[in-house]
Amino acid sequence: GAVVSQHPSRVICKSGTSVKIECRSLDFQATTMFWYRQFPKQSLMLMATSNEGSKATYEQGVEKDKFLINHASLTLSTLTVTSAHPEDSSFYICSAKDGLQNQPQHFGDGTRLSIL
Amino acid sequence: ILNVEQSPQSLHVQEGDSTNFTCSFPSSNFYALHWYRWETAKSPEALFVMTLNGDEKKKGRISATLNTKEGYSYLYIKGSQPEDSATYLCAFMTGAQKLVFGQGTRLTINP
């Protein structure tokens, strides 16, 4: 099956640090990648959608200057949390899909981000 | 605001028993409904993508039904096994190809 690799799986860093999370599709071309965030006991919330070679589309309430998304190739998207603060501590997970209709999204393992 | 509700939030089932749980979603502007299984420390795994009212899909001991007119889908597990322990997520696909997830049903199979 389709494999998506996400790393790092866990990050602990000081407030003010910028953190980059990578999401790679290993065996298919991901025309679209999605970034989600999950707070404790809540559902996965879509942060942004990125299509290869174009700017990401952010959901309402998500700061695009805080969460920089790059999707430079059909196999790689990155999320950079800039100048992270404790309130950015959360679980971040990416998914990817090809261009076909009615296909599922393929998820990475997620990244647990803790800002001290 | 789109609302996707799953019930129950958690469920304990004896090994060998069958079980089912529900996903409720908006009945208008339906495009697709996704089901995923999410085991601890792993990535969510796609189970089904359902698109047509009345759809029934099956994968081994797991099956799902879809009623788009009333806005619900059921997931059934027959003869539960310990490896079925996971959180089961449903997600409603919007016209913009985005998924809106429910909170999940956490299933624990007791040996």
Side-chain angles (χ1 to χ4, degrees):
Chain A
V3 178
V4 173
S5 171
Q6 180 176 345
H7 72 91
S9 58
R10 172 134 198 152
V11 180
I12 302 173
C13 57
K14 293 181 180 178
S15 185
T17 307
S18 291
V19 178
K20 181 185 279 190
I21 303 169
E22 289 190 351
C23 181
R24 292 180 186 273
S25 59
L26 298 185
D27 54 359
F28 69 101
Q29 293 189 325
T31 52
T32 308
M33 286 185 167
F34 304 87
W35 288 95
Y36 296 87
R37 181 173 181 175
Q38 185 182 38
F39 289 109
K41 298 187 179 180
Q42 294 190 21
S43 55
L44 292 175
M45 297 293 293
L46 182 66
M47 298 174 66
T49 303
S50 74
N51 291 293
E52 183 262 339
S54 60
K55 288 184 180 179
T57 305
Y58 290 81
E59 295 302 299
Q60 192 172 10
V62 178
E63 299 174 57
K64 57 184 177 185
D65 294 331
K66 161 67 87 174
F67 300 101
L68 299 178
I69 291 172
N70 184 278
H71 191 167
S73 78
L74 281 171
T75 58
L76 175 64
S77 177
T78 60
L79 167 68
T80 301
V81 184
T82 61
S83 186
H85 288 94
E87 59 266 27
D88 298 322
S89 298
S90 190
F91 181 78
Y92 296 85
I93 189 167
C94 69
S95 71
K97 69 181 297 290
D98 58 26
L100 299 177
Q101 288 283 339
N102 299 326
Q103 294 298 305
Q105 293 181 13
H106 304 286
F107 285 84
D109 287 342
T111 298
R112 174 75 57 190
L113 177 62
S114 299
I115 308 298
L116 305 175
Chain B
I1 298 176
L2 287 174
N3 203 26
V4 178
E5 297 280 345
Q6 289 188 248
S7 63
Q9 286 190 359
S10 66
L11 191 55
H12 290 254
V13 174
Q14 204 62 33
E15 182 178 353
D17 288 351
S18 296
T19 187
N20 65 85
F21 28 91
T22 308
C23 173
S24 301
F25 51 86
S27 57
S28 59
N29 299 318
F30 179 85
Y31 288 88
L33 188 83
H34 291 214
W35 280 101
Y36 293 86
R37 173 170 59 200
W38 196 358
E39 295 179 66
T40 303
K42 293 186 179 181
S43 57
E45 172 199 358
L47 290 174
F48 306 112
V49 176
M50 309 184 79
T51 56
L52 298 175
N53 184 45
D55 251 357
E56 286 190 36
K57 294 208 171 182
K58 190 175 179 182
K59 186 176 182 178
R61 293 178 291 100
I62 303 176
S63 60
T65 61
L66 179 69
N67 183 323
T68 61
K69 295 190 186 306
E70 295 182 44
Y72 64 84
S73 175
Y74 292 134
L75 191 83
Y76 300 89
I77 302 178
K78 187 177 177 182
S80 304
Q81 299 297 309
E83 60 264 29
D84 296 328
S85 294
T87 296
Y88 290 82
L89 300 173
C90 72
F92 176 83
M93 174 168 283
T94 71
Q97 301 292 300
K98 300 176 184 178
L99 290 181
V100 178
F101 280 85
Q103 283 189 286
T105 292
R106 182 187 291 261
L107 176 66
T108 303
I109 307 301
N110 301 317

